Amino acid sequence: MSEHVLDWISAYHDGELHGDRLRWVEAHLHTCADCQAELAALQNLAVRLQASPPMPARTPPEQFVAQVQLRLPPRSVPVPGRQRVRQAAGLWLPLGALALWAFGQAVLVVSGLALGVAAVPAAIPVVLPPLPGLGALPLLVALAQPAGWGGWLALLALNAGLTAAVAMLVWGCLAGWWAARETSLASSGLRAG
Amino acid sequence: MFAPASSTSSDEQAWITSAQQGDRQAFGDLVRRHREGVVNVVYRMCGDAALAEDAAQEAFLRAWQNLGRYNPRFAFRSWVYRIAVNVAVDALRRERPTTDLSAEPLVSGAESPEAWLERKQRAEQVRQAVVDLPPASRAVLVLREYETLSYHEIAEALDIPMGTVMSRLNYARGQLRQALSRHPEE
């Protein structure tokens, strides 16, 4: 018996051979009694295995499905690329706007203070002490001085506008996040009722 | 040389996509379609009907949790059978299987009690011979003989090369023939 062909008898028995290999094994089987016996033994084994009964269903199919569904834990849904970008923007945009607003407030407070100080000499002569760390102050004073009190009011208006714009942006982002969350819950079936 | 693997059907692919988005109803459709196969794989692997349904449910739970990692290039059936095989091996590690007399209905009206007993004994010999195989060879044999997966699908399901599928199958069949030769059929 050819050991080489014997290796392929199992695959032949399982219908896994095609083309030249199939024809080669078939031709060999016509002439080799040992390989024929091997094939018959495999067929006999398959019959014995199939005679072993499958497991009878203990739980009706629909009940099985329902039991599995009841045991399913909530699963985090994988986020597609575009949605991930949108989610990141929804988080970082308001945070960036808030940071910008805080910076603007700081600048306005400092420049307002400087304007106030700069406006004083017209009424009360004051000498600014040379304070360390206030290197930018003379520049702010110089920038704001031509406008005087009018410039100060303009800065206040600018501050109010900026605050309103940032507030609208943050609330808009929060509303968008809430709407997306509601849609996600509804589609995943996690929403009660 | 070998037959190609069967692919996942289009309606099944739609269920998978919906289930990946968290749709439990779609996952229920997948469970309904593969319940019988998964229960049988687990049962043939552990040889214990009492363990099989619980372990099959566990397999579906793992499938749900890992659905995001499912690669649609492979047949869903192969993927879920791989999970079923792993769950069965885990279940066997946890508790020893028992001979389960309730796995088969009692004497039917069509056969005598002697014939029933003989058939039952033969089935038990086969079941025991399969359970005695090493898990790696047993998994290949179960997927081939009872679930009629192709070699390609078995290779996918167990993540092993085709040559390994063939060698494990040859080994399992050799062992079974040897074990069952001690109880020849009349």
Side-chain angles (χ1 to χ4, degrees):
Chain A
M1 174 168 52
S2 165
E3 288 292 324
H4 194 57
V5 174
L6 194 61
D7 290 343
W8 295 97
I9 297 293
S10 204
Y12 173 80
H13 162 72
D14 290 325
E16 291 278 344
L17 297 185
H18 298 272
D20 290 345
R21 181 87 64 186
L22 174 65
R23 285 188 284 277
W24 173 62
V25 173
E26 276 179 335
H28 180 80
L29 277 168
H30 283 300
T31 59
C32 178
D34 286 341
C35 284
Q36 285 172 12
E38 176 70 14
L39 183 61
L42 287 174
Q43 287 164 344
N44 184 43
L45 177 67
V47 169
R48 283 194 81 173
L49 288 171
Q50 291 305 323
S52 171
M55 192 185 113
R58 296 176 160 211
T59 310
E62 284 310 312
Q63 195 181 332
F64 182 93
V65 174
Q67 284 174 352
V68 171
Q69 283 179 316
L70 277 175
R71 290 176 64 187
L72 294 181
R75 190 161 50 76
S76 55
V77 178
V79 182
R82 279 179 67 184
Q83 202 179 334
R84 210 177 300 138
V85 170
R86 225 180 303 148
Q87 279 185 357
L91 176 68
W92 289 108
L93 206 63
L95 282 179
L98 278 173
L100 194 67
W101 177 80
F103 176 73
Q105 289 301 303
V107 168
L108 286 173
V109 165
V110 171
S111 58
L113 183 70
L115 276 172
V117 171
V120 168
I124 308 161
V126 174
V127 177
L128 277 174
L131 293 174
L134 287 177
L137 202 59
L139 175 66
L140 287 169
V141 172
L143 284 172
Q145 220 154 19
W149 288 103
W152 194 72
L153 285 173
L155 279 175
L156 273 182
L158 181 67
N159 182 20
L162 182 66
T163 304
V166 169
M168 279 172 64
L169 183 63
V170 170
W171 281 109
C173 287
L174 277 174
W177 171 79
W178 180 257
R181 183 176 172 275
E182 289 295 297
T183 311
S184 169
L185 283 177
S187 68
S188 66
L190 292 176
R191 170 138 330 281
Chain B
M1 181 175 71
F2 292 105
S6 66
S7 58
T8 302
S9 63
S10 59
D11 57 342
E12 190 166 279
Q13 191 52 58
W15 292 338
I16 293 165
T17 307
S18 300
Q20 283 174 328
Q21 300 303 314
D23 186 339
R24 288 155 184 256
Q25 199 57 47
F27 190 73
D29 291 329
L30 289 169
V31 173
R32 202 169 286 112
R33 175 166 288 186
H34 294 286
R35 179 194 63 85
E36 196 178 347
V38 167
V39 169
N40 265 321
V41 165
V42 177
Y43 172 61
R44 300 294 186 187
M45 281 295 293
C46 64
D48 189 332
L51 277 177
E53 281 198 349
D54 271 354
Q57 288 196 3
E58 175 64 28
F60 281 116
L61 291 183
R62 284 198 201 173
W64 166 261
Q65 285 163 334
N66 293 291
L67 208 50
R69 291 186 216 161
Y70 165 68
N71 183 347
R73 277 197 312 122
F74 303 121
F76 183 77
R77 183 172 69 149
S78 305
W79 184 73
V80 80
Y81 280 1
R82 176 202 293 210
I83 296 173
V85 166
N86 290 337
V87 167
V89 172
D90 290 350
L92 280 174
R93 278 200 201 111
R94 281 197 302 270
E95 46 193 308
R96 296 294 308 156
T98 53
T99 304
D100 192 8
L101 295 174
S102 64
E104 203 182 345
L106 295 175
V107 188
S108 71
E111 62 182 346
S112 66
E114 292 79 16
W116 174 83
L117 187 61
E118 195 180 318
R119 187 170 57 79
K120 181 75 187 161
Q121 280 174 341
R122 281 203 303 269
E124 176 57 22
Q125 286 157 7
V126 170
R127 188 194 71 86
Q128 193 57 53
V130 171
V131 169
D132 286 344
L133 291 169
S137 309
R138 195 188 328 150
V140 174
L141 181 99
V142 165
L143 293 179
R144 175 62 222 171
E145 292 288 354
Y146 293 114
E147 296 306 315
T148 59
L149 261 63
S150 69
Y151 287 7
H152 193 283
E153 286 173 311
I154 296 170
E156 266 181 20
L158 303 178
D159 198 21
I160 52 176
M162 296 267 272
T164 309
V165 172
M166 288 178 68
S167 60
R168 285 185 187 174
L169 195 53
N170 282 340
Y171 174 80
R173 283 171 167 161
Q175 291 294 107
L176 280 182
R177 279 163 61 186
Q178 207 175 339
L180 295 176
S181 67
R182 293 194 284 271
H183 313 284
E185 282 192 302
E186 285 95 38

